[in-house]
Structure formats: C-alpha cells, structure tokens
C-alpha cells in the first residue's frame, strides 16, 4: 500500500517537471500571440478594417524572431507543445463550427476529387524531382510533403521508404518556409481569380501544407472559406494512410541500389495512429455533435473563440520554428523541385475546383 503514495508523488513530480519545461516556450508563443492581436487592432483603428489577420501576423512575427534569434533548448519544449498539441485541440474545437450543410455543399464529387488530386500530384511531383536529378527517396519526400500535409506526411513517409535524415530535414525545412509564403500569397490569388468563399476554401484546403496554415490562408475570405478549407484539408490528410500502405509495397523500388526487401519495407509501416491522427477523429466527432444538435447554441461562440485563440498561438509557434535561411542551404535542385511541385499542385487543384459546382 505504501507504493501508491510514492507513485502518486512521482507522477506529480513528473507533471511539475513537464510544466516547467513547457512554460518558457509557451510564454513566448503567448507573447507573440498578444503582439499579433495588438497589431490587428492597430490595423482596425488606422485603416478601418483588418488587412492582415492576427493568424498571419503571428506567423510573420514568429518567423522574424526565429530568423534573428535561435531559441535555446529551454524554449523548445513549449514551442513544440504549442505547435502540436494546442493546434490539435484547436482543430477538434473547430469541428463545432462546421455544419452538415457545409459538408453537403462539398458533395461526393469534391471528396473523390481530393483523392484524385493527391495521387496525381504525388506522381507528377515525383517525376519532376527525378527529372531534376533528385534521388528517388528525396523526390518521394518532396512529392508527399507537397501533395498531402507537409511535415506530417514527410515524417510518416520517411520510415516507410527508409529516407535519409538529411533528406528529411531538407524537405521539412522547405515545407516550413514555403508554407508561410503560400499563406501570404494565396489570398491575393483567390481575390484575383474571383473565387467564392466555398471555391477559395477548397482551393486553400487542396494546396496549403498544414491545417493551421489553411486556416490562416482562408481567414481573409470569411467563415465559409475557413470551414470548407478545414474540411478539405482534413480529408486530404486522411489520404496519408492509403499512401503509406502503397509506398510500403513500392518501397523496394525506391532504393537506389534496389537492395531493400519487401519484408523490410513492410516492417517500417507507421502505426495506425500516425495514419489517422486522433484530432481528425475528434474533429469529425465535433462535426457530428454539431449536426445532431448536441452542442448548445450558446456554446458555439465561446468554442469558436477558443479555437481561434489556440490556432493563433500554434501559428506563433509555427513561425518560431521557421528560419528562412534554411532554404539557401538545401540546394537549387531541391528548391526547383519543391516550387515546381507546388505550382503543379495549385494548377491541378484549381482545375478541379473550376469543374465542380461550388458557388
């Protein structure tokens, strides 16, 4: 019986240590978040409207800080916590703002189209990488990162195809830096093309790397764009499972020397919780709860506000993890492969959207 208090004390000690490790980085992310909201208020007062949302400002401020200053190790735990766990909670809460009407507006054609875009983009992006002289595994990392969900796809695919750690680092660096560029430039493209909220939301969901970046890119076009963008993006993320299974079968062919066995490739398949992240299931559960009236109407506004706040904090963390100088270190061929693949994905996505009845 005496072991129970000892275990409880050990758990409290571990929890206290974890909190202490997290606080510095979390405080920094909250500070960046506060600055982003303050600048948004200044915009409102000076220009009469907010031209750059707090979501985007948080990324920009965080990126500027990270480029000028490399946070010591004591800050990293809190930054990682904010970028990962707070984001995942925010995505789950965001499900409460997505009604069944939005899903019905998407229609089965769009859902099928998302899968088609992912597979076509992976194949064409891989071909571009190979034509530019990239090794097969590096070309596949770039293709999956661009076509599915950036860092998450790269991290999941890397062990399946036995990718080199240097290739993984280079691919992740590009998705971080170019992801910010896409968030800033996509709204201007959407306005220039005259896309509706539903069309632009689908476009953002199909082209932007990460869930928080989709939210940031869609925010200037309104709530409908955010809802559609998030829905499309999460369906796109779900494609990671089938892609990893297929790659585990094809992995031996990706070896430069062809020496890897199929049995070895199968043993490197990521666990199921990496293929279907818990926050996607949580998001879908919240959508179902909203659709069946299980969430009180009075709770919708506070839940939406909490989701927005957590998202901005996670964006600050995202920015704090981006050093724009890393692009220069990766080399011209990788740069060309990533940029061309991203442009190709945008063209394929835009073609699909124009073919679908999204008003």
């Amino acid at each position: 019986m005496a072991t129970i208090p000892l275990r409880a004390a050990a758990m409290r000690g571990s929890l206290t240590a974890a909190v202490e490790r997290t606080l510095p980085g979390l405080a920094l992310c909250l500070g960046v978040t506060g600055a982003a909201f303050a600048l948004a208020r200044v915009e409102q007062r000076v220009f009469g409207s907010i031209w750059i949302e707090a979501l985007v400002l948080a990324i920009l401020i965080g990126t500027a800080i990270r480029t000028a200053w490399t946070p010591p190790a004591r800050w990293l735990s809190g930054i990682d916590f904010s970028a990962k766990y707070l984001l995942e909670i925010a995505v789950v809460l965001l499900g409460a703002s997505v009604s069944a009407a939005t899903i019905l507006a998407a229609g089965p054609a769009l859902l099928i189209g998302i899968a088609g875009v992912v597979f076509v983009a992976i194949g064409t992006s891989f071909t571009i990488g190979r034509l530019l002289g990239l090794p097969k595994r590096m070309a596949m990392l770039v293709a999956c990162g661009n076509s599915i969900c950036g860092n998450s796809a790269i991290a999941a695919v890397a062990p399946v195809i036995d990718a080199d750690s240097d290739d993984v680092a280079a691919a992740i660096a590009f998705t971080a830096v170019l992801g910010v560029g896409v968030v800033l430039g996509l709204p201007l493209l959407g306005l220039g093309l005259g896309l509706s909220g539903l069309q632009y939301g689908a476009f953002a969901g199909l082209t932007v790397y990460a869930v928080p970046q989709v939210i940031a890119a869609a925010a200037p076009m309104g709530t409908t764009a955010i809802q559609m963008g998030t829905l499309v993006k999460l369906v796109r993320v779900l494609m990671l499972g089938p892609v990893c299974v297929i790659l585990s079968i094809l992995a031996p062919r990706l070896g430069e020397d062809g020496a890897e066995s199929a049995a070895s490739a199968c043993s490197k398949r990521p666990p199921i919780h990496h293929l279907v992240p818990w926050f996607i299931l949580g998001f879908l559960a919240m959508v179902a709860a909203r659709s069946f009236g299980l969430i009180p109407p009075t709770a919708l506004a506070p839940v939406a506000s909490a989701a927005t706040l957590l998202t901005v904090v996670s964006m600050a963390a995202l920015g704090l993890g981006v050093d724009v100088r890393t692009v220069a270190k990766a080399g011209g061929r990788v740069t060309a492969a990533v940029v061309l693949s991203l442009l190709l994905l945008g063209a394929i996505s835009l073609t699909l959207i124009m073919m679908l009845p999204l008003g």
Side-chain angles (χ1 to χ4, degrees), residues 102-162:
T102 302
I103 298 176
L104 293 175
L110 177 59
L111 300 181
I112 295 171
I114 294 170
V117 166
V118 168
F119 282 108
V120 170
I122 289 175
T124 52
S125 296
F126 177 77
T127 302
I128 288 173
R130 292 296 290 158
L131 290 175
L132 289 171
L134 295 185
K136 291 180 181 179
R137 291 186 174 109
M138 181 62 182
M140 185 55 70
L141 287 178
V142 170
C144 291
N146 274 357
S147 305
I148 306 176
C149 52
N151 293 356
S152 298
I154 292 169
V157 167
V160 176
I161 64 174
D162 197 26

Side-chain angles (χ1 to χ4, degrees), residues 128-129 132-135 138-139 141-142 146 166-175 178 209 326-327 329-342:
I128 288 173
L132 289 171
L134 295 185
M138 181 62 182
L141 287 178
V142 170
N146 274 357
D166 290 339
D167 290 343
V168 174
I172 287 178
F174 267 99
T175 59
L178 291 184
Y209 289 137
T326 56
V327 173
K329 301 176 183 178
R333 289 184 301 174
V334 180
T335 303
V338 175
V339 173
L340 289 175
S341 296
L342 185 59

Side-chain angles (χ1 to χ4, degrees), residues 263-277:
S264 175
C266 291
S267 68
K268 293 170 182 172
R269 292 177 186 173
I272 187 65
H273 67 276
H274 287 173
L275 304 182
V276 185

Side-chain angles (χ1 to χ4, degrees), residues 1-353:
M1 298 294 292
T3 59
I4 296 179
L6 292 176
R7 289 177 182 173
M11 292 177 62
R12 286 195 298 270
S14 298
L15 179 60
T16 301
V19 171
E20 290 176 350
R21 288 194 304 269
T22 303
L23 279 179
L26 177 59
L28 178 60
C29 293
L30 290 173
V32 172
T33 298
F37 278 114
L39 284 177
R41 292 193 188 97
V42 170
E43 285 185 85
Q44 180 71 48
R45 291 182 180 180
V46 173
F47 302 108
S49 62
I50 297 176
W51 293 96
I52 304 178
E53 300 283 338
L55 298 165
V56 179
L57 288 170
I59 293 180
L60 293 176
I61 296 170
T63 301
I65 292 174
R66 174 63 181 86
T67 302
W69 169 67
T70 300
R74 66 186 296 263
W75 301 88
L76 299 182
S77 179
I79 294 174
D80 292 342
F81 172 82
S82 301
K84 178 176 173 55
Y85 296 106
L86 294 187
L87 164 64
E88 293 174 349
I89 295 171
V91 171
V92 172
L93 295 179
L94 191 63
S97 67
V98 179
S99 64
T102 302
I103 298 176
L104 293 175
L110 177 59
L111 300 181
I112 295 171
I114 294 170
V117 166
V118 168
F119 282 108
V120 170
I122 289 175
T124 52
S125 296
F126 177 77
T127 302
I128 288 173
R130 292 296 290 158
L131 290 175
L132 289 171
L134 295 185
K136 291 180 181 179
R137 291 186 174 109
M138 181 62 182
M140 185 55 70
L141 287 178
V142 170
C144 291
N146 274 357
S147 305
I148 306 176
C149 52
N151 293 356
S152 298
I154 292 169
V157 167
V160 176
I161 64 174
D162 197 26
D164 182 83
S165 59
D166 290 339
D167 290 343
V168 174
I172 287 178
F174 267 99
T175 59
V177 175
L178 291 184
V180 174
V182 173
V183 167
L184 298 178
L186 204 66
L188 299 177
L189 180 59
L191 289 172
L193 294 173
L195 300 179
S196 67
L198 284 175
Q199 288 176 323
Y200 178 75
F203 186 43
L206 283 167
T207 54
V208 179
Y209 289 137
V211 176
Q213 294 171 342
V214 170
I215 298 171
M221 298 292 281
T223 302
T224 300
I226 293 175
Q227 292 178 354
M228 176 61 80
T230 304
L231 175 65
V232 170
K233 177 60 188 175
L234 293 182
V235 173
R236 187 172 154 212
V237 172
L238 285 174
M239 295 304 300
L240 184 57
V243 167
C244 283
V245 171
I246 293 172
L247 286 179
S248 70
I249 298 172
L250 299 178
R253 300 183 183 181
L254 295 176
E256 301 304 320
D257 57 4
E260 185 177 16
S261 68
S264 175
C266 291
S267 68
K268 293 170 182 172
R269 292 177 186 173
I272 187 65
H273 67 276
H274 287 173
L275 304 182
V276 185
W278 75 270
F279 64 87
I280 293 182
L281 300 178
F283 175 88
L284 296 176
M286 291 292 279
V287 171
R290 166 73 185 274
S291 301
F292 287 105
L294 301 179
I295 301 176
T298 54
L300 294 178
V303 169
S305 297
T308 298
L309 176 61
L310 292 177
T311 301
V312 177
V313 176
S314 69
M315 297 265 231
L318 179 69
L320 288 167
V322 174
D323 185 348
V324 295
R325 294 170 297 187
T326 56
V327 173
K329 301 176 183 178
R333 289 184 301 174
V334 180
T335 303
V338 175
V339 173
L340 289 175
S341 296
L342 185 59
L343 291 175
L344 178 67
L345 174 62
I348 295 172
S349 301
L350 192 59
T351 300
L352 172 65
I353 291 166

